[in-house]
Amino acid sequence: MTRFARLGGYGAVWLLAILTIAPIGLVLLRSVLTPSGVTLEHYRAAFTEPANIQAGINTVIVSVATVIFATLVAIPLAWLVSRTDIPGARRFRVLLLVPYVVPPYIGAIAWINLANPTVGWLNRAAGAAVFDIYSMTGVIWVTGLFFYTYVYVACLAALERVDPSLEDAARVSGAGPLMVLRTITLPLIRPAILAGAFLVFAASAAAFGVPALIASPARLHLLTTRIYGYVRTGGLDGLYTASALSASLLVMALAAWVLAERMGGAGRITTVTGKASARSRIRLGRWRWPAFAAVSGVVFLTCVLPVTAIVITSFMNIVGEFRWDNLTLDKYRYVLFTRSDTARGFVNSFVLAFGAATLAAAVGTAVAYVKGHPRFRTTRLVETSINLPYATPGTILALGMMLLWSWPLALVDTLWILLIAYFAKDLSFAVRSVTTAVQQTDVTLEEAARVSGASFVTTFRTIWLPLLWPAIAAGWFLVFMPAFGELTMSVLLVGPGTDTVGTVLFALQEYADPPSASVVAVLILAFILAAYTAATFVAPRAKAE
Amino acid sequence: MGHLARLCRPPFPLLLLALIAASACGDGRGGRQTVTIYTSIYEHVIAGLEPVLRDAFPDLDVRFFQRGSEDVAARLNSEIAANNISADLVMTSDPFWYEELKEAGHLLAYASPHASGIPSDLNDPDGTFVTVRMPVMVMAVNSTRVAAADRPRTFRELADAKWAKRITMGDPNRSGSYFTAVAALSKKYGWEYFEALRRNDIVAAGGNSAVLNRLMTGEKDAGIILLENLLQTRQQNVKAPIEIVYPEDGVILVPSPIAILKATAVPDAARRLYDFFLSDEGQNAIVGGWMYSPYDHIAPPAGARPWQAVFSAPLLPWTFDYLRETTSGREDIKRRFNTTVLEPR
């Protein structure tokens, strides 16, 4: 490598670190710094407030309960659809992944319609106030119905890698299906379960939309909603208190990480999809149809019921009255053609998600190439730049972006700050997707090209790109989808004119106009599901990750 | 997969990247001046104003940033703290905040020729802000769940145990009209009134539209709410199960000002807009958004009681003394409300 290229490489690495790690460091720094020196004053201010302590406790309760709920749901699902002869297994595999791509706050809005204590549809059907969504249980329920997919995806991939001969051996020795599951399969996929469980914990602790919509009306707060409150109304002091609270949220995420690693799980957040060898599926016998009913029930609760509720609500003139003449398109007309913020939100979110995905795919490809190539190596700094923002709660990342980009380069309130935030948060998806493909590619192909006199550029274009495109496209979608519906960071970072679909929907539901919110939710849902369908065609691996 | 993979080859993403770059740079708009208004006026009212403004000011690009009043205030306050103010005008419904801004020296004095017709209690003597619209807070009930004879007649009645678990209002930390209502009600009836509302488990969340939604769906039976939301609903939706109640203890006045920020880079354009909103044309556009005008010669909004009937005996008369007193206690009122009504015990 020439000296020039080497310098460029260092420059790129440091630029990446500034975009991704610096904001997090800055939050930690600001949380202990005042103009007069180092201090723990902000922490004192944050933790002498009983409401913040309660919020911390609530965050732990919600996160732990969601992990338990999500894991208990996900493991049987993964096992049933991948290892047994349950009818419709292929369909179920895809349907059960839908909550992976839909933003959870849409689920929150749907469940508010379904289970609010006075006029929720379910309560009315039951004739009594059986369910109360405005509660901790409500938060855990909705969060769990979305985040089970993390454990589910990890288990699916792990189950496919399990050597079938081990299970066959047990079966031949006379073990029943459950015995095999308990003594062979589960221990083998334990690391994957733990990795998934860690992701659920981190995601639940970092979630903002669901608790803000469901818990706040019941006077319940989590750390993320408290932080949001401080940033929104607290001025400069609020920003410092928020930094201190954020630091504790980060500690919580790191503690979970260490615990998961101790238990032998973490470190493999990602699970490489190996080759699915031909294997016999376990015969469920007379349990076949009950199992089918159970999995259908899950699909009903995660997809059918909420989607139906939100779609019907969006067409109701007076929300909650079930009559044919109460259906109307007026709200669509109003949201699409009268309000100016909806269209702007969609354009902004599309441009941002597109930009972040393209940027992440480009950087991800470069990093993956360097990483997977035996001739080069990546530094620890690069690895941290990619993985730390992913593991860091979005609230902290956003706070850091606000602190970092206010001076001397003022990007606050512009689309750029959102673009950088999305890029930093989701870059690891692109890197992982492409890395896998690079590792599976034989480097001798490249050597052959180079020996034949092809330049680096030609080699990259003719050898690597054609081989890597499916993985790059998959990585692109894995960034595009979460970026499009992002709320947690956006809610702190949007300014005049830079609303995203997430913040438009959030503002409508929580403050301005709940009936219109259902319309925007349906529009987001339609877009996301269309993109998801497209993604499964373009890049079959996108859904498997 | 073949053709889709081809779609993903280099020229295509590059093209789209160029598109993004183009859209990011496309803000030039041919030399028109940009004026930014921070406001709590509803999106649909803004949507109605936008074409009018385009016609009246072809040389201006008027941009609105719309949130609840207190969100707007929090945002502008933090911009002021960072010395990076992007608003040129503010037009929200928390009159006390304007007094605060004025005292801190952030407002530009401007004696608009149109402001002279506004009653003196609604017009800052130094000309830094003036009431540009006059929303009022009343009550509403869900008519299918509350019989005509059972309706509350006064704000005071909502404190009765009869209304336990059945009432709602908005969040004064977010909405300026609710802050003004809390200030007026606590002044008139004391904090015991809010203690009683807490005992009745009042839901105080979101803004007026969120409250309206709770009443429409029947999630709650009765609530404190802006008249304009009710008028609009009644107008657009005759079957809406909503009944307006003009409280016998008087409506709550929410005189909502307009002001120009000293930091504006476009003072002339800002003054022209200020004049426009106070002109008959601007006032009629505002009344079209179902709010009263501060001028008594402008007709009331469609379906509302006459000006005189509403403004003759409000819950509290509006004076500059009351304005100043409440302004200095603004944070205390919020804190008191939060501990009394919002925070868990």
Side-chain angles (χ1 to χ4, degrees):
Chain A
M1 247 197 292
T2 64
R3 178 190 254 173
F4 186 68
R6 188 180 295 271
L7 270 177
Y10 280 121
V13 167
W14 279 102
L15 181 65
L16 188 64
I18 287 173
L19 290 179
T20 55
I21 309 176
I24 301 165
L26 204 53
V27 173
L28 297 180
L29 199 65
R30 283 296 181 88
S31 72
V32 294
L33 221 55
T34 58
S36 54
V38 176
T39 173
L40 287 177
E41 177 53 30
H42 305 314
Y43 286 88
R44 203 192 58 81
F47 289 107
T48 46
E49 171 70 50
N52 291 342
I53 308 248
Q54 189 59 52
I57 296 171
N58 289 348
T59 301
V60 174
I61 294 175
V62 164
S63 307
V64 170
T66 306
V67 167
I68 296 170
F69 174 47
T71 312
L72 288 181
V73 173
I75 297 174
L77 286 177
W79 182 73
L80 281 170
V81 300
S82 74
R83 306 310 301 275
T84 70
D85 61 346
I86 186 170
R90 282 172 65 96
R91 287 261 155 75
F92 278 139
R93 274 180 85 116
V94 178
L95 281 174
L96 287 170
L97 269 174
V98 167
Y100 191 73
V101 292
V102 173
Y105 53 81
I106 291 191
I109 293 174
W111 280 99
I112 288 173
N113 281 316
L114 285 166
N116 84 62
T118 18
V119 287
W121 300 11
L122 297 178
N123 286 322
R124 277 209 267 178
V130 187
F131 307 99
D132 181 0
I133 198 70
Y134 298 125
S135 61
M136 295 277 274
T137 322
V139 178
I140 295 160
W141 173 250
V142 176
T143 316
L145 285 186
F146 278 87
F147 291 165
Y148 82 82
T149 47
Y150 296 171
V151 181
Y152 170 75
V153 168
C155 287
L156 271 190
L159 281 169
E160 259 153 30
R161 277 201 316 259
V162 169
D163 187 350
S165 58
L166 292 170
E167 289 172 326
D168 289 343
R171 211 167 303 141
V172 169
S173 319
L178 284 181
M179 179 83 161
V180 175
L181 178 66
R182 197 168 53 80
T183 57
I184 307 289
T185 320
L186 278 184
L188 281 172
I189 64 169
R190 203 176 92 117
I193 296 174
L194 283 171
F198 162 73
L199 285 184
V200 175
F201 182 90
S204 319
F208 169 75
V210 175
L213 293 171
I214 288 182
S216 302
R219 304 186 178 106
L220 294 167
H221 280 276
L222 270 64
L223 284 175
T224 47
T225 58
R226 292 294 298 183
I227 293 169
Y228 172 68
Y230 277 114
V231 173
R232 198 166 44 73
T233 58
L236 215 51
D237 280 342
L239 212 56
Y240 293 135
T241 314
S243 297
L245 277 184
S246 301
S248 60
L249 193 58
L250 184 61
V251 166
M252 207 179 273
L254 291 179
W257 169 268
V258 170
L259 190 70
E261 197 161 50
R262 276 277 164 78
M263 292 165 74
R268 24 175 68 254
I269 284 182
T270 178
T271 39
V272 183
T273 319
K275 293 191 181 66
S277 52
R279 62 176 74 203
S280 58
R281 284 174 172 264
I282 293 157
R283 289 179 188 285
L284 290 171
R286 66 198 164 90
W287 290 104
R288 212 168 157 236
W289 289 102
F292 176 81
V295 179
S296 302
V298 173
V299 172
F300 181 75
L301 284 178
T302 56
C303 303
V304 181
L305 193 61
V307 170
T308 311
I310 213 156
V311 169
I312 294 181
T313 304
S314 74
F315 287 107
M316 278 182 168
N317 186 10
I318 297 164
V319 173
E321 285 192 15
F322 295 85
R323 289 192 326 266
W324 284 112
D325 64 348
N326 187 38
L327 298 183
T328 172
L329 281 171
D330 285 352
K331 285 195 288 181
Y332 278 86
R333 209 170 297 138
Y334 171 64
V335 164
L336 286 172
F337 303 115
T338 307
R339 295 188 73 99
S340 59
D341 56 350
T342 324
R344 198 170 55 223
F346 269 91
V347 171
N348 285 346
S349 281
F350 184 81
V351 169
L352 286 168
F354 198 101
T358 309
L359 207 59
V363 173
T365 307
V367 171
Y369 173 75
V370 173
K371 207 167 127 179
H373 202 288
R375 286 222 333 259
F376 309 117
R377 59 187 182 82
T378 50
T379 61
R380 214 184 168 81
L381 187 63
V382 174
E383 295 288 331
T384 315
S385 299
I386 294 158
N387 290 323
L388 185 66
Y390 171 70
T392 305
T395 312
I396 301 165
L397 202 55
L399 217 56
M401 295 281 168
M402 289 167 72
L403 295 170
L404 181 64
W405 298 112
S406 54
W407 189 89
L409 186 58
L411 298 183
V412 169
D413 291 351
T414 66
L415 287 176
W416 294 109
I417 197 168
L418 288 158
L419 182 74
I420 297 171
Y422 294 172
F423 166 77
K425 181 84 184 149
D426 297 328
L427 173 63
S428 65
F429 290 121
V431 175
R432 271 184 250 145
S433 174
V434 187
T435 303
T436 311
V438 171
Q439 281 163 350
Q440 285 167 354
T441 308
D442 194 347
V443 191
T444 51
L445 285 173
E446 183 193 85
E447 280 159 8
R450 295 302 289 273
V451 167
S452 322
S455 70
F456 171 75
V457 175
T458 313
T459 313
F460 196 81
R461 199 170 52 83
T462 56
I463 305 284
W464 285 106
L465 278 190
L467 286 170
L468 297 183
W469 267 118
I472 296 175
W476 190 94
F477 269 109
L478 286 170
V479 178
F480 181 86
M481 302 293 263
F484 183 80
E486 213 285 332
L487 177 67
T488 305
M489 297 188 294
S490 313
V491 88
L492 296 170
L493 293 175
V494 297
T498 66
D499 291 273
T500 66
V501 283
T503 62
V504 166
L505 177 59
F506 181 70
L508 285 175
Q509 172 71 27
E510 185 236 17
Y511 180 81
D513 190 355
S516 300
S518 59
V519 176
V520 177
V522 169
L523 296 175
I524 296 177
L525 207 56
F527 181 85
I528 293 255
L529 292 181
Y532 176 52
T533 315
T536 54
F537 279 112
V538 176
R541 251 177 279 183
K543 65 174 196 276
E545 169 132 32
Chain B
M1 233 203 84
H3 59 286
L4 279 164
R6 225 173 296 136
L7 251 184
C8 293
R9 292 235 171 95
F12 180 65
L14 285 180
L15 212 76
L16 281 159
L17 205 69
L19 204 95
I20 293 171
S23 72
C25 307
D27 277 353
R29 305 214 181 174
R32 283 197 293 162
Q33 268 185 340
T34 302
V35 187
T36 305
I37 305 179
Y38 281 19
T39 187
S40 62
I41 289 184
Y42 291 116
E43 272 286 341
H44 64 86
V45 182
I46 294 176
L49 275 170
E50 272 170 344
V52 181
L53 288 172
R54 262 199 300 277
D55 289 345
F57 303 101
D59 57 327
L60 298 183
D61 179 19
V62 182
R63 289 190 191 174
F64 288 94
F65 172 65
Q66 194 263 352
R67 288 286 189 281
S69 292
E70 302 309 293
D71 286 338
V72 171
R75 166 149 215 121
L76 189 62
N77 286 342
S78 66
E79 288 183 7
I80 288 171
N83 200 12
N84 177 27
I85 301 173
S86 26
D88 299 302
L89 291 128
V90 267
M91 192 159 63
T92 60
S93 56
D94 174 352
F96 311 104
W97 180 49
Y98 291 76
E99 182 68 17
E100 202 177 293
L101 285 174
K102 175 194 166 186
E103 282 163 17
H106 295 302
L107 298 183
L108 187 74
Y110 172 47
S112 168
H114 293 284
S116 53
I118 302 220
S120 61
D121 278 325
L122 302 177
N123 192 354
D124 174 39
D126 300 320
T128 56
F129 62 93
V130 61
T131 301
V132 70
R133 56 200 173 101
M134 198 55 156
V136 295
M137 294 291 259
V138 295
M139 291 188 292
V141 296
N142 180 307
S143 53
T144 56
R145 295 172 64 96
V146 181
D150 283 342
R151 286 177 202 158
R153 302 155 81 78
T154 60
F155 284 122
R156 167 126 239 171
E157 255 180 65
L158 295 180
D160 293 350
K162 166 188 169 189
W163 293 102
K165 292 193 179 299
R166 298 170 68 191
I167 49 174
T168 180
M169 64 181 286
D171 180 353
N173 300 292
R174 311 292 304 281
S175 149
S177 49
Y178 280 105
F179 175 76
T180 310
V182 169
L185 286 165
S186 62
K187 167 99 176 158
K188 175 104 174 179
Y189 296 130
W191 286 103
E192 307 85 72
Y193 177 70
F194 285 100
E195 285 288 348
L197 294 188
R198 168 73 186 245
R199 276 197 298 281
N200 280 350
D201 205 13
I202 190 168
V203 168
N208 285 281
S209 308
V211 171
L212 179 67
N213 187 51
R214 272 175 231 131
L215 295 172
M216 290 262 273
T217 57
E219 193 178 330
K220 295 290 162 192
D221 291 348
I224 303 171
I225 185 169
L226 272 181
L227 179 63
E228 63 205 68
N229 289 67
L230 304 170
L231 293 174
Q232 188 208 356
T233 307
R234 297 289 308 238
Q235 187 84 8
Q236 292 176 346
N237 198 341
V238 278
K239 279 186 276 183
I242 285 289
E243 210 52 63
I244 302 174
V245 180
Y246 290 89
E248 287 171 13
D249 39 3
V251 302
I252 299 167
L253 304 179
V254 190
S256 303
I258 184 170
I260 304 173
L261 286 151
K262 235 181 214 165
T264 178
V266 287
D268 291 326
R271 283 192 198 102
R272 284 164 63 204
L273 282 168
Y274 194 89
D275 284 341
F276 168 82
F277 282 111
L278 293 168
S279 70
D280 282 6
E281 192 188 1
Q283 287 295 308
N284 283 325
I286 281 170
V287 172
W290 288 278
M291 288 166 272
Y292 284 97
S293 160
Y295 299 97
D296 53 7
H297 72 270
I298 305 273
R305 287 190 176 173
W307 211 91
Q308 206 53 40
V310 172
F311 293 101
S312 55
L315 187 80
L316 270 188
W318 193 266
T319 63
F320 261 99
D321 285 341
Y322 171 64
L323 177 70
R324 293 206 184 91
E325 174 198 324
T326 310
T327 302
S328 58
R330 194 156 162 267
E331 288 311 309
D332 278 338
I333 292 174
K334 279 189 193 173
R335 202 168 303 128
R336 196 77 193 268
F337 182 86
N338 290 346
T339 51
T340 312
V341 176
L342 286 184
E343 270 161 25
R345 316 195 158 146

